[in-house]
Amino acid sequence: MSKKKRLKRQLKRKVNKLKKVTNQNFLYLMSNKLNKNLPKSEIWFNNQMKFVGLNIKDLKPNKPFLGFIPDYRSDSLKLIIEVDGNFHDSDNVKQKDDKKQKLYEKSGYTVIRVIAYNENSLRSCFLKIKDILNKHK
C-alpha cells in the first residue's frame, strides 16, 4: 500500500473517531437539557409511577445509549421505556422509533412503549414492568 493511501486511511479513521466523539458529546448535552426541562409527557409518566408505587432504583431518564436518548433506561432490568407523545404520531418519527427499538432489542433490552396520557397504555406498561420485576426477584 502506498504511503498516500495509508495516510488517507489513517485520516479517515481519525475523522470518523472525531465524529463519534462529537456525536456523543452532543447526546450528553441534549440529555442534560432534557433532564433540566423534562417533557410534559415524561413528567406525567413520573407522576404515575410514583402514584402506583413503582420504584425501579436504576431507572435513568434521558441518558444516551447506543447513539440515542431513550426516555427511561434500567440496565439491571435490561429495560427501556419510551413515552410517546403527539410528536410520535407522524410516519417519519414512527420509522425512526422502530429502528431505535430494533437496535435496543438487539442489545438485549426489552422496550416498552407507553402512549402519553392514555390510561389503557399506561396500565399495560405497568403490568409489563411488574412482570419484569417479578422475573428479576
Side-chain angles (χ1 to χ4, degrees):
M1 181 183 313
S2 72
K3 187 175 181 179
K4 187 176 180 180
K5 282 185 179 181
R6 189 171 45 246
L7 288 173
K8 266 187 170 182
R9 194 175 269 177
Q10 288 174 348
L11 180 61
K12 190 174 181 178
R13 276 191 228 126
K14 286 181 181 182
V15 167
N16 286 338
K17 187 177 181 180
L18 182 60
K19 282 181 185 177
K20 200 174 194 178
V21 169
T22 304
N23 185 40
Q24 197 64 21
N25 289 344
F26 173 75
L27 288 174
Y28 279 102
L29 288 172
M30 288 301 298
S31 169
N32 288 336
K33 186 177 179 181
L34 279 168
N35 284 326
K36 286 179 183 172
N37 190 19
L38 279 177
K40 289 178 183 176
S41 58
E42 291 181 34
I43 293 170
W44 168 81
F45 184 76
N46 273 335
N47 291 338
Q48 298 302 315
M49 289 271 291
K50 288 176 187 173
F51 181 75
V52 297
L54 268 177
N55 183 21
I56 302 171
K57 290 181 181 166
D58 72 331
L59 192 65
K60 300 172 188 162
N62 301 311
K63 294 295 178 194
F65 182 64
L66 299 175
F68 298 101
I69 304 174
D71 293 336
Y72 296 92
R73 185 177 93 235
S74 166
D75 291 331
S76 66
L77 298 176
K78 291 282 203 182
L79 172 66
I80 289 177
I81 301 169
E82 293 283 11
V83 182
D84 295 342
N86 293 339
F87 174 76
H88 295 267
D89 288 343
S90 77
D91 288 337
N92 187 32
V93 174
K94 284 180 184 178
Q95 286 177 346
K96 288 179 183 178
D97 286 345
D98 287 344
K99 284 181 184 179
K100 288 191 296 184
Q101 183 164 337
K102 286 176 184 168
L103 182 64
Y104 297 151
E105 289 170 345
K106 266 186 173 179
S107 297
Y109 280 73
T110 299
V111 178
I112 299 175
R113 303 195 87 79
V114 59
I115 301 168
Y117 313 108
N118 182 306
E119 293 302 316
N120 290 331
S121 179
L122 181 68
R123 195 174 306 115
S124 174
C125 171
F126 287 168
L127 289 172
K128 290 174 186 174
I129 292 171
K130 287 178 182 178
D131 186 45
I132 291 169
L133 286 168
N134 287 333
K135 288 178 182 175
H136 281 84
K137 281 186 177 180

